[in-house]
Amino acid sequence: MVVVTKAAEVPATRCLRCRRALTAAASISAGYGPGCRARIRAAALPTSSAKFTAAQITRARELLADGGLIPTNHAGVYQSVSSDGGTTYLTHRAGCTCPAGIRGNGWTCYHRAAAGILRATGKAA
C-alpha cells in the first residue's frame, strides 16, 4: 500500500532560520534547531519597542514557534501564514501584504514583528 501525503503535511527537515538539517523529532516538529530557538527567544526581548504592542510581540513569537514565517529567495522577505492558516502574506520588517500592513497610517502587524525578531537573530533569509 502506498500512502500519499500532501507537501504541507510533511514537516520541515531543515531549520527555517539557518537551513541546517534537523534530526531530533522536537526540532523537526518546531521547524527550528535548539540553537536557533534560543536565539529567537533572546531576540524577541529587545524587539518589544513602542512600535509593537505586547500582544503583537506575543503573536509574533507564536508565529515563529509554529514555523509560520518561511524564508523566500529574497533577502529579508518571508512568507507568513495568517492566523487562520488559510492565507499567506509576503512580509519584510519594513512592510507586509496583510490587511493591517496594507492599511498603513501607522498600523503595524505581528508579521513584521516576527520578521524583525528573526532579523535580530543575525540570520535573515
Side-chain angles (χ1 to χ4, degrees):
M1 172 191 263
V2 176
V3 177
V4 178
T5 18
K6 295 179 185 176
E9 294 173 358
V10 177
T13 55
R14 294 206 169 271
C15 178
L16 294 171
R17 180 182 167 270
C18 68
R19 307 301 298 157
R20 289 186 182 164
L22 299 174
T23 55
S27 296
I28 291 171
S29 66
Y32 299 99
C36 290
R37 278 195 309 248
R39 284 187 176 97
I40 289 169
R41 280 193 301 271
L45 299 175
T47 306
S48 59
S49 65
K51 189 176 184 180
F52 299 104
T53 65
Q56 288 174 320
I57 296 298
T58 301
R59 290 185 76 185
R61 288 180 183 166
E62 290 173 1
L63 181 68
L64 290 169
D66 292 341
L69 198 68
I70 304 157
T72 64
N73 291 334
H74 302 287
V77 179
Y78 304 91
Q79 265 192 333
S80 19
V81 181
S82 65
S83 54
D84 66 1
T87 310
T88 59
Y89 308 111
L90 287 178
T91 305
H92 184 270
R93 63 185 169 88
C96 185
T97 61
C98 73
I102 292 172
R103 200 172 338 170
N105 299 328
W107 289 86
T108 55
C109 65
Y110 68 95
H111 306 116
R112 288 179 54 193
I117 291 169
L118 208 54
R119 181 165 171 82
T121 65
K123 266 288 196 205

